[in-house]
Amino acid sequence: MAQAAFHFPRGFLWGTATASHQVEGSNTNNNWWAWENEPGRILNGQKAGLACDWWSGRWREDFDRAADAGQNAHRMSIEWSRIQPRPGIWDESALDRYRDIVRGMVERGMTPLITLHHFSDPLWLVEQGGWENEAVAERFETYARKVVEALKEYVTLWATINEPNVYAVMGYIVGNFPPGKTSINAGLNVMTNMVLAHARAYRAIHAIQPQARVGLALNVTPMIPAKSWSPLDRVAVSVLRRVYNEFFPAALSAGKLRYPTHTRRIPEAKNTQDYFGMNYYTRFACAVDLRMPRQKFIRYAPENCDEISETGFIGNDPAGFYAALEWAKSFGLPIIVTENGVEDSNDNLRPRYLVQHIHQLWRAVNIGIPIKGYFHWTLVDNFEWERGWSQRFGLWELDVETQARRKRPSADLYAEICQENGLSSEMVARYTPQLFEQIFPN
Ligand code: GAL
C-alpha cells in the first residue's frame, strides 16, 4: 500500500482542553457547586465532587500522559472563586498553585492556553448580580489583571471567556445552567456584559503583556433549517445564527452589538481579538416547534449525519466543521480550534470522529485558512455540567470512584497524529479502515 500523509504547518499546536470546575475537584465556592446541591438540577443528582482531582495534584500524572502522547500544548482554565474567594480578598496560595501547574505544563514542553472564565462564577459575584450586573466588566478586568500578573512568565496565549454564547443561552434563556433563568432579555443583557468584560480584559492583558495573544473561545454551531421548504424554520435559523454564532465575532471585530431587532455600536470592543478561538462539536438542524416552550419554541438537534453520539448530543458532521472554519476565516484572524470532540464511553465512534475532523481541519489549512492549533475535548473524562458524569469525552477513561485512568484507543491515535504533525494513510488504515477509501481515494 502506498504511503501518504496530510501534514500540518511547523509549530502547529496539538493539545487537549480542560476547565477548572470540570477537573479540579473540591470547588465549593462557585455557582456550579451551589447548583449541584439543588435537587433536580444535574442528571441523576450527580456532583463534580473530586472531579479528576487535579487540585490535590493529579494534574501531574495527567500532564505526563498528555506530554508522553506527543501533545505540545494544553488549554486549561483558572477558577475565579479560588483566586478571589470574596470581594477584595485575593488568595495568593491559589495563585501559587496555578503557577506550579502552569510551570509544570511548560516544563513538559506544552504551550499553555489559559482561559480566565469557563462557566463557573464565584458565589459572591452571583450575590452581586453576576453577569446581569454591568459592574461585572470592571470586576472581571481586575481579576484578569491579577491572573495575568501571576502567570505572565509562562503564558502569552489567553482566552478571556469560554463560550459566552452557551453561558448566556443555557443560564439565562433555556435555564439548564445556573442561575436557571428563562428570559431572552436577560440572556442578551448577559451577552452584552460579556462583550464589555472581554474588551476591558483584552486591553488590560495587553497593557501588562504587549506580546500577548488574546481571544475567546466561541461555540460555533452551524445551523440549517430542519425543513428547507419551511419559511418559519428558515427565519428561525437566520435569527439563531445571528444571535448565537455571529453576535460575539461581530462585536469583537466591527464593534457592533447586533441584537435580533436592532444594532448598537460598541467602539470599545472593536478589534479586541488577536485570534478566533472556535469550539466546534456538531451542526444542528433547527425547527420551530410549538411543543417546546422551554426552548423558546425551537427544536435543535444533530440531523442528517451518518452517526450520532451515545446520548444523542453530537452528530459526527465533519462537513459542518469545515463550513465553520470557512465562515470563521471571514473575520481575518488566525484561528485556533479551542475544543472539538465527542462523548463516547466505549470509543466506538471517537476514532472516526477524530480522523474525519482532523482531515477536514487539514483541508481547511490546505486552502489557506490560517489555523494555528487544535485542542481536543478532552484529556480525561470529566464532569459534564448539567449532564453530570453521563457523557465521556476523555481520551482516557476515568473511574470516578477510584480515580484510576485507562487509556482509550483514540488516545494512541491522537498521539500518533500529534507526533506526526499530521494524519497518515497508515494511521487511517489501522484505526479506521472503513474510512480509508473516503479519506485516501485511489
Ligand atoms: C463545551 C464546553 C466544555 C465541555 C464541552 C463538552 O460546550 O466548553 O466545558 O463541557 O462542551 O460538553
mmCIF file of all heavy atoms in Angstrom, residues 31-68:
data_model
loop_
_atom_site.group_PDB
_atom_site.id
_atom_site.type_symbol
_atom_site.label_atom_id
_atom_site.label_comp_id
_atom_site.label_asym_id
_atom_site.label_seq_id
_atom_site.Cartn_x
_atom_site.Cartn_y
_atom_site.Cartn_z
ATOM 1 N N ASN A 31 -20.851 28.985 41.656
ATOM 2 C CA ASN A 31 -22.275 28.787 41.334
ATOM 3 C C ASN A 31 -22.592 27.343 40.944
ATOM 4 O O ASN A 31 -23.696 26.858 41.179
ATOM 5 C CB ASN A 31 -22.690 29.753 40.208
ATOM 6 C CG ASN A 31 -21.838 29.603 38.952
ATOM 7 O OD1 ASN A 31 -20.714 29.079 39.013
ATOM 8 N ND2 ASN A 31 -22.338 30.055 37.824
ATOM 9 N N TRP A 32 -21.633 26.623 40.370
ATOM 10 C CA TRP A 32 -21.921 25.240 39.978
ATOM 11 C C TRP A 32 -22.035 24.331 41.194
ATOM 12 O O TRP A 32 -22.870 23.434 41.232
ATOM 13 C CB TRP A 32 -20.897 24.719 38.961
ATOM 14 C CG TRP A 32 -21.362 25.097 37.589
ATOM 15 C CD1 TRP A 32 -21.038 26.228 36.909
ATOM 16 C CD2 TRP A 32 -22.325 24.399 36.784
ATOM 17 N NE1 TRP A 32 -21.728 26.274 35.716
ATOM 18 C CE2 TRP A 32 -22.517 25.161 35.614
ATOM 19 C CE3 TRP A 32 -23.033 23.211 36.922
ATOM 20 C CZ2 TRP A 32 -23.392 24.769 34.588
ATOM 21 C CZ3 TRP A 32 -23.905 22.816 35.906
ATOM 22 C CH2 TRP A 32 -24.072 23.591 34.751
ATOM 23 N N TRP A 33 -21.219 24.592 42.196
ATOM 24 C CA TRP A 33 -21.323 23.813 43.422
ATOM 25 C C TRP A 33 -22.729 24.000 44.017
ATOM 26 O O TRP A 33 -23.393 23.020 44.389
ATOM 27 C CB TRP A 33 -20.234 24.245 44.416
ATOM 28 C CG TRP A 33 -20.358 23.543 45.720
ATOM 29 C CD1 TRP A 33 -19.907 22.295 46.027
ATOM 30 C CD2 TRP A 33 -21.006 24.035 46.894
ATOM 31 N NE1 TRP A 33 -20.241 21.981 47.320
ATOM 32 C CE2 TRP A 33 -20.916 23.034 47.886
ATOM 33 C CE3 TRP A 33 -21.659 25.239 47.210
ATOM 34 C CZ2 TRP A 33 -21.442 23.182 49.154
ATOM 35 C CZ3 TRP A 33 -22.190 25.399 48.479
ATOM 36 C CH2 TRP A 33 -22.079 24.369 49.435
ATOM 37 N N ALA A 34 -23.167 25.250 44.055
ATOM 38 C CA ALA A 34 -24.500 25.525 44.611
ATOM 39 C C ALA A 34 -25.582 24.849 43.763
ATOM 40 O O ALA A 34 -26.535 24.255 44.286
ATOM 41 C CB ALA A 34 -24.734 27.038 44.666
ATOM 42 N N TRP A 35 -25.422 24.910 42.471
ATOM 43 C CA TRP A 35 -26.390 24.316 41.531
ATOM 44 C C TRP A 35 -26.465 22.804 41.717
ATOM 45 O O TRP A 35 -27.537 22.205 41.729
ATOM 46 C CB TRP A 35 -25.931 24.681 40.121
ATOM 47 C CG TRP A 35 -26.874 24.443 38.988
ATOM 48 C CD1 TRP A 35 -26.725 23.552 37.970
ATOM 49 C CD2 TRP A 35 -28.089 25.162 38.700
ATOM 50 N NE1 TRP A 35 -27.756 23.665 37.074
ATOM 51 C CE2 TRP A 35 -28.615 24.644 37.494
ATOM 52 C CE3 TRP A 35 -28.778 26.198 39.346
ATOM 53 C CZ2 TRP A 35 -29.788 25.109 36.915
ATOM 54 C CZ3 TRP A 35 -29.963 26.660 38.767
ATOM 55 C CH2 TRP A 35 -30.451 26.124 37.572
ATOM 56 N N GLU A 36 -25.293 22.188 41.888
ATOM 57 C CA GLU A 36 -25.261 20.726 42.078
ATOM 58 C C GLU A 36 -25.964 20.322 43.364
ATOM 59 O O GLU A 36 -26.428 19.191 43.493
ATOM 60 C CB GLU A 36 -23.803 20.233 42.129
ATOM 61 C CG GLU A 36 -23.099 20.315 40.786
ATOM 62 C CD GLU A 36 -21.578 20.313 40.940
ATOM 63 O OE1 GLU A 36 -21.068 19.769 41.933
ATOM 64 O OE2 GLU A 36 -20.904 20.881 40.061
ATOM 65 N N ASN A 37 -26.025 21.232 44.309
ATOM 66 C CA ASN A 37 -26.671 20.921 45.579
ATOM 67 C C ASN A 37 -28.166 21.205 45.582
ATOM 68 O O ASN A 37 -28.837 20.954 46.579
ATOM 69 C CB ASN A 37 -25.960 21.650 46.723
ATOM 70 C CG ASN A 37 -24.680 20.910 47.093
ATOM 71 O OD1 ASN A 37 -24.721 19.796 47.610
ATOM 72 N ND2 ASN A 37 -23.561 21.492 46.751
ATOM 73 N N GLU A 38 -28.688 21.705 44.467
ATOM 74 C CA GLU A 38 -30.145 21.879 44.353
ATOM 75 C C GLU A 38 -30.711 20.622 43.703
ATOM 76 O O GLU A 38 -30.241 20.213 42.642
ATOM 77 C CB GLU A 38 -30.473 23.081 43.455
ATOM 78 C CG GLU A 38 -30.253 24.413 44.123
ATOM 79 C CD GLU A 38 -30.642 25.573 43.210
ATOM 80 O OE1 GLU A 38 -31.510 25.400 42.320
ATOM 81 O OE2 GLU A 38 -30.049 26.642 43.371
ATOM 82 N N PRO A 39 -31.735 20.032 44.310
ATOM 83 C CA PRO A 39 -32.292 18.802 43.738
ATOM 84 C C PRO A 39 -32.792 19.020 42.306
ATOM 85 O O PRO A 39 -33.337 20.079 41.991
ATOM 86 C CB PRO A 39 -33.469 18.472 44.663
ATOM 87 C CG PRO A 39 -33.377 19.393 45.823
ATOM 88 C CD PRO A 39 -32.412 20.486 45.522
ATOM 89 N N GLY A 40 -32.554 18.037 41.456
ATOM 90 C CA GLY A 40 -33.119 18.053 40.107
ATOM 91 C C GLY A 40 -32.351 18.852 39.080
ATOM 92 O O GLY A 40 -32.739 18.926 37.921
ATOM 93 N N ARG A 41 -31.254 19.463 39.478
ATOM 94 C CA ARG A 41 -30.530 20.308 38.516
ATOM 95 C C ARG A 41 -29.582 19.497 37.629
ATOM 96 O O ARG A 41 -29.385 19.820 36.471
ATOM 97 C CB ARG A 41 -29.707 21.380 39.249
ATOM 98 C CG ARG A 41 -30.535 22.372 40.025
ATOM 99 C CD ARG A 41 -31.533 23.086 39.138
ATOM 100 N NE ARG A 41 -32.084 24.260 39.799
ATOM 101 C CZ ARG A 41 -33.023 25.030 39.262
ATOM 102 N NH1 ARG A 41 -33.540 24.743 38.083
ATOM 103 N NH2 ARG A 41 -33.470 26.080 39.911
ATOM 104 N N ILE A 42 -28.953 18.470 38.199
ATOM 105 C CA ILE A 42 -27.958 17.699 37.433
ATOM 106 C C ILE A 42 -28.517 16.296 37.207
ATOM 107 O O ILE A 42 -29.114 15.704 38.116
ATOM 108 C CB ILE A 42 -26.621 17.581 38.209
ATOM 109 C CG1 ILE A 42 -26.162 18.953 38.742
ATOM 110 C CG2 ILE A 42 -25.541 16.911 37.353
ATOM 111 C CD1 ILE A 42 -25.655 19.916 37.742
ATOM 112 N N LEU A 43 -28.285 15.785 36.018
ATOM 113 C CA LEU A 43 -28.761 14.447 35.674
ATOM 114 C C LEU A 43 -28.346 13.442 36.761
ATOM 115 O O LEU A 43 -27.178 13.419 37.175
ATOM 116 C CB LEU A 43 -28.164 14.046 34.320
ATOM 117 C CG LEU A 43 -28.740 12.799 33.675
ATOM 118 C CD1 LEU A 43 -30.212 12.982 33.322
ATOM 119 C CD2 LEU A 43 -27.947 12.454 32.407
ATOM 120 N N ASN A 44 -29.285 12.652 37.205
ATOM 121 C CA ASN A 44 -29.062 11.633 38.245
ATOM 122 C C ASN A 44 -28.509 12.204 39.548
ATOM 123 O O ASN A 44 -27.891 11.475 40.325
ATOM 124 C CB ASN A 44 -28.095 10.533 37.748
ATOM 125 C CG ASN A 44 -28.606 9.875 36.473
ATOM 126 O OD1 ASN A 44 -29.807 9.685 36.327
ATOM 127 N ND2 ASN A 44 -27.707 9.571 35.557
ATOM 128 N N GLY A 45 -28.688 13.498 39.755
ATOM 129 C CA GLY A 45 -28.224 14.116 41.003
ATOM 130 C C GLY A 45 -26.716 14.071 41.202
ATOM 131 O O GLY A 45 -26.229 14.178 42.336
ATOM 132 N N GLN A 46 -25.967 13.926 40.119
ATOM 133 C CA GLN A 46 -24.514 13.786 40.277
ATOM 134 C C GLN A 46 -23.836 15.116 40.598
ATOM 135 O O GLN A 46 -24.389 16.182 40.367
ATOM 136 C CB GLN A 46 -23.918 13.169 39.004
ATOM 137 C CG GLN A 46 -24.295 11.701 38.883
ATOM 138 C CD GLN A 46 -23.898 11.094 37.557
ATOM 139 O OE1 GLN A 46 -23.855 11.774 36.540
ATOM 140 N NE2 GLN A 46 -23.633 9.800 37.561
ATOM 141 N N LYS A 47 -22.617 15.010 41.127
ATOM 142 C CA LYS A 47 -21.857 16.199 41.515
ATOM 143 C C LYS A 47 -20.445 16.113 40.958
ATOM 144 O O LYS A 47 -19.941 15.012 40.723
ATOM 145 C CB LYS A 47 -21.774 16.290 43.035
ATOM 146 C CG LYS A 47 -23.138 16.465 43.663
ATOM 147 C CD LYS A 47 -23.072 16.681 45.146
ATOM 148 C CE LYS A 47 -24.517 16.929 45.601
ATOM 149 N NZ LYS A 47 -24.699 17.006 47.000
ATOM 150 N N ALA A 48 -19.812 17.262 40.827
ATOM 151 C CA ALA A 48 -18.417 17.253 40.355
ATOM 152 C C ALA A 48 -17.527 16.569 41.393
ATOM 153 O O ALA A 48 -16.591 15.853 41.039
ATOM 154 C CB ALA A 48 -17.928 18.670 40.086
ATOM 155 N N GLY A 49 -17.825 16.802 42.677
ATOM 156 C CA GLY A 49 -17.052 16.138 43.736
ATOM 157 C C GLY A 49 -15.561 16.371 43.583
ATOM 158 O O GLY A 49 -15.100 17.506 43.449
ATOM 159 N N LEU A 50 -14.811 15.272 43.559
ATOM 160 C CA LEU A 50 -13.356 15.383 43.384
ATOM 161 C C LEU A 50 -12.965 15.601 41.929
ATOM 162 O O LEU A 50 -11.798 15.832 41.627
ATOM 163 C CB LEU A 50 -12.680 14.093 43.858
ATOM 164 C CG LEU A 50 -12.300 13.962 45.314
ATOM 165 C CD1 LEU A 50 -11.457 12.693 45.511
ATOM 166 C CD2 LEU A 50 -11.519 15.183 45.804
ATOM 167 N N ALA A 51 -13.954 15.461 41.034
ATOM 168 C CA ALA A 51 -13.711 15.590 39.586
ATOM 169 C C ALA A 51 -12.508 14.715 39.192
ATOM 170 O O ALA A 51 -12.483 13.533 39.527
ATOM 171 C CB ALA A 51 -13.546 17.044 39.192
ATOM 172 N N CYS A 52 -11.490 15.294 38.540
ATOM 173 C CA CYS A 52 -10.308 14.488 38.196
ATOM 174 C C CYS A 52 -9.197 14.696 39.225
ATOM 175 O O CYS A 52 -8.042 14.331 38.989
ATOM 176 C CB CYS A 52 -9.798 14.843 36.804
ATOM 177 S SG CYS A 52 -11.037 14.720 35.526
ATOM 178 N N ASP A 53 -9.569 15.370 40.311
ATOM 179 C CA ASP A 53 -8.670 15.517 41.464
ATOM 180 C C ASP A 53 -7.382 16.273 41.134
ATOM 181 O O ASP A 53 -6.322 15.998 41.700
ATOM 182 C CB ASP A 53 -8.346 14.113 42.021
ATOM 183 C CG ASP A 53 -7.842 14.183 43.459
ATOM 184 O OD1 ASP A 53 -8.116 15.189 44.145
ATOM 185 O OD2 ASP A 53 -7.157 13.242 43.886
ATOM 186 N N TRP A 54 -7.481 17.220 40.238
ATOM 187 C CA TRP A 54 -6.275 17.974 39.860
ATOM 188 C C TRP A 54 -5.800 18.872 40.982
ATOM 189 O O TRP A 54 -4.611 19.111 41.124
ATOM 190 C CB TRP A 54 -6.547 18.833 38.605
ATOM 191 C CG TRP A 54 -6.398 18.064 37.323
ATOM 192 C CD1 TRP A 54 -6.480 16.715 37.157
ATOM 193 C CD2 TRP A 54 -6.133 18.621 36.026
ATOM 194 N NE1 TRP A 54 -6.290 16.397 35.830
ATOM 195 C CE2 TRP A 54 -6.074 17.544 35.115
ATOM 196 C CE3 TRP A 54 -5.951 19.913 35.537
ATOM 197 C CZ2 TRP A 54 -5.837 17.730 33.748
ATOM 198 C CZ3 TRP A 54 -5.719 20.114 34.179
ATOM 199 C CH2 TRP A 54 -5.656 19.014 33.291
ATOM 200 N N TRP A 55 -6.754 19.384 41.774
ATOM 201 C CA TRP A 55 -6.345 20.386 42.765
ATOM 202 C C TRP A 55 -5.430 19.767 43.810
ATOM 203 O O TRP A 55 -4.588 20.427 44.386
ATOM 204 C CB TRP A 55 -7.576 21.050 43.403
ATOM 205 C CG TRP A 55 -7.218 22.333 44.088
ATOM 206 C CD1 TRP A 55 -7.266 22.584 45.425
ATOM 207 C CD2 TRP A 55 -6.726 23.528 43.467
ATOM 208 N NE1 TRP A 55 -6.852 23.874 45.677
ATOM 209 C CE2 TRP A 55 -6.503 24.476 44.490
ATOM 210 C CE3 TRP A 55 -6.439 23.897 42.143
ATOM 211 C CZ2 TRP A 55 -6.029 25.763 44.249
ATOM 212 C CZ3 TRP A 55 -5.964 25.176 41.891
ATOM 213 C CH2 TRP A 55 -5.760 26.088 42.927
ATOM 214 N N SER A 56 -5.595 18.458 44.076
ATOM 215 C CA SER A 56 -4.636 17.872 45.023
ATOM 216 C C SER A 56 -3.434 17.255 44.324
ATOM 217 O O SER A 56 -2.646 16.569 44.974
ATOM 218 C CB SER A 56 -5.308 16.882 45.979
ATOM 219 O OG SER A 56 -6.353 16.234 45.382
ATOM 220 N N GLY A 57 -3.283 17.480 43.042
ATOM 221 C CA GLY A 57 -2.008 17.128 42.423
ATOM 222 C C GLY A 57 -2.050 16.165 41.246
ATOM 223 O O GLY A 57 -1.041 15.928 40.606
ATOM 224 N N ARG A 58 -3.240 15.614 40.955
ATOM 225 C CA ARG A 58 -3.262 14.645 39.852
ATOM 226 C C ARG A 58 -3.067 15.282 38.481
ATOM 227 O O ARG A 58 -2.962 14.568 37.477
ATOM 228 C CB ARG A 58 -4.557 13.840 39.867
ATOM 229 C CG ARG A 58 -4.528 12.723 40.879
ATOM 230 C CD ARG A 58 -5.734 11.811 40.718
ATOM 231 N NE ARG A 58 -6.103 11.242 41.994
ATOM 232 C CZ ARG A 58 -5.683 10.064 42.430
ATOM 233 N NH1 ARG A 58 -4.912 9.314 41.676
ATOM 234 N NH2 ARG A 58 -6.042 9.631 43.619
ATOM 235 N N TRP A 59 -3.013 16.633 38.434
ATOM 236 C CA TRP A 59 -2.672 17.261 37.156
ATOM 237 C C TRP A 59 -1.320 16.751 36.672
ATOM 238 O O TRP A 59 -1.092 16.637 35.467
ATOM 239 C CB TRP A 59 -2.665 18.802 37.276
ATOM 240 C CG TRP A 59 -1.682 19.350 38.275
ATOM 241 C CD1 TRP A 59 -1.927 19.617 39.586
ATOM 242 C CD2 TRP A 59 -0.301 19.672 38.053
ATOM 243 N NE1 TRP A 59 -0.783 20.091 40.201
ATOM 244 C CE2 TRP A 59 0.230 20.134 39.288
ATOM 245 C CE3 TRP A 59 0.543 19.614 36.940
ATOM 246 C CZ2 TRP A 59 1.554 20.538 39.422
ATOM 247 C CZ3 TRP A 59 1.868 20.027 37.084
ATOM 248 C CH2 TRP A 59 2.357 20.475 38.314
ATOM 249 N N ARG A 60 -0.441 16.423 37.633
ATOM 250 C CA ARG A 60 0.911 15.987 37.232
ATOM 251 C C ARG A 60 0.846 14.727 36.374
ATOM 252 O O ARG A 60 1.412 14.656 35.296
ATOM 253 C CB ARG A 60 1.783 15.703 38.455
ATOM 254 C CG ARG A 60 2.149 16.936 39.218
ATOM 255 C CD ARG A 60 3.209 16.669 40.291
ATOM 256 N NE ARG A 60 3.460 17.884 41.038
ATOM 257 C CZ ARG A 60 2.706 18.293 42.065
ATOM 258 N NH1 ARG A 60 1.684 17.562 42.480
ATOM 259 N NH2 ARG A 60 2.975 19.426 42.684
ATOM 260 N N GLU A 61 0.126 13.724 36.887
ATOM 261 C CA GLU A 61 0.093 12.469 36.115
ATOM 262 C C GLU A 61 -0.642 12.672 34.788
ATOM 263 O O GLU A 61 -0.269 12.087 33.770
ATOM 264 C CB GLU A 61 -0.505 11.312 36.925
ATOM 265 C CG GLU A 61 -1.866 11.591 37.504
ATOM 266 C CD GLU A 61 -2.551 10.315 38.019
ATOM 267 O OE1 GLU A 61 -2.919 9.476 37.181
ATOM 268 O OE2 GLU A 61 -2.724 10.184 39.242
ATOM 269 N N ASP A 62 -1.668 13.553 34.784
ATOM 270 C CA ASP A 62 -2.396 13.757 33.521
ATOM 271 C C ASP A 62 -1.561 14.568 32.514
ATOM 272 O O ASP A 62 -1.611 14.313 31.310
ATOM 273 C CB ASP A 62 -3.754 14.404 33.786
ATOM 274 C CG ASP A 62 -4.741 13.407 34.402
ATOM 275 O OD1 ASP A 62 -4.511 12.185 34.233
ATOM 276 O OD2 ASP A 62 -5.710 13.830 35.046
ATOM 277 N N PHE A 63 -0.792 15.521 33.020
ATOM 278 C CA PHE A 63 0.117 16.248 32.106
ATOM 279 C C PHE A 63 1.207 15.308 31.579
ATOM 280 O O PHE A 63 1.647 15.429 30.435
ATOM 281 C CB PHE A 63 0.756 17.450 32.792
ATOM 282 C CG PHE A 63 -0.164 18.650 32.931
ATOM 283 C CD1 PHE A 63 -1.478 18.621 32.484
ATOM 284 C CD2 PHE A 63 0.299 19.835 33.499
ATOM 285 C CE1 PHE A 63 -2.318 19.731 32.607
ATOM 286 C CE2 PHE A 63 -0.531 20.948 33.636
ATOM 287 C CZ PHE A 63 -1.840 20.899 33.195
ATOM 288 N N ASP A 64 1.663 14.373 32.423
ATOM 289 C CA ASP A 64 2.626 13.370 31.931
ATOM 290 C C ASP A 64 2.006 12.587 30.771
ATOM 291 O O ASP A 64 2.635 12.368 29.740
ATOM 292 C CB ASP A 64 3.006 12.374 33.035
ATOM 293 C CG ASP A 64 3.972 12.981 34.052
ATOM 294 O OD1 ASP A 64 4.560 14.034 33.750
ATOM 295 O OD2 ASP A 64 4.116 12.398 35.150
ATOM 296 N N ARG A 65 0.748 12.180 30.968
ATOM 297 C CA ARG A 65 0.068 11.431 29.893
ATOM 298 C C ARG A 65 0.021 12.259 28.613
ATOM 299 O O ARG A 65 0.335 11.773 27.531
ATOM 300 C CB ARG A 65 -1.377 11.102 30.288
ATOM 301 C CG ARG A 65 -1.487 10.093 31.361
ATOM 302 C CD ARG A 65 -2.932 9.652 31.623
ATOM 303 N NE ARG A 65 -2.856 8.566 32.578
ATOM 304 C CZ ARG A 65 -2.888 8.725 33.910
ATOM 305 N NH1 ARG A 65 -3.089 9.905 34.439
ATOM 306 N NH2 ARG A 65 -2.728 7.694 34.706
ATOM 307 N N ALA A 66 -0.389 13.519 28.758
ATOM 308 C CA ALA A 66 -0.545 14.368 27.575
ATOM 309 C C ALA A 66 0.797 14.561 26.865
ATOM 310 O O ALA A 66 0.895 14.421 25.642
ATOM 311 C CB ALA A 66 -1.135 15.722 27.977
ATOM 312 N N ALA A 67 1.824 14.864 27.656
ATOM 313 C CA ALA A 67 3.132 15.142 27.045
ATOM 314 C C ALA A 67 3.714 13.867 26.427
ATOM 315 O O ALA A 67 4.247 13.895 25.311
ATOM 316 C CB ALA A 67 4.087 15.716 28.092
ATOM 317 N N ASP A 68 3.570 12.743 27.126
ATOM 318 C CA ASP A 68 4.073 11.472 26.572
ATOM 319 C C ASP A 68 3.330 11.122 25.285
ATOM 320 O O ASP A 68 3.856 10.393 24.445
ATOM 321 C CB ASP A 68 3.900 10.320 27.574
ATOM 322 C CG ASP A 68 4.836 10.478 28.765
ATOM 323 O OD1 ASP A 68 5.766 11.305 28.680
ATOM 324 O OD2 ASP A 68 4.617 9.789 29.793
#
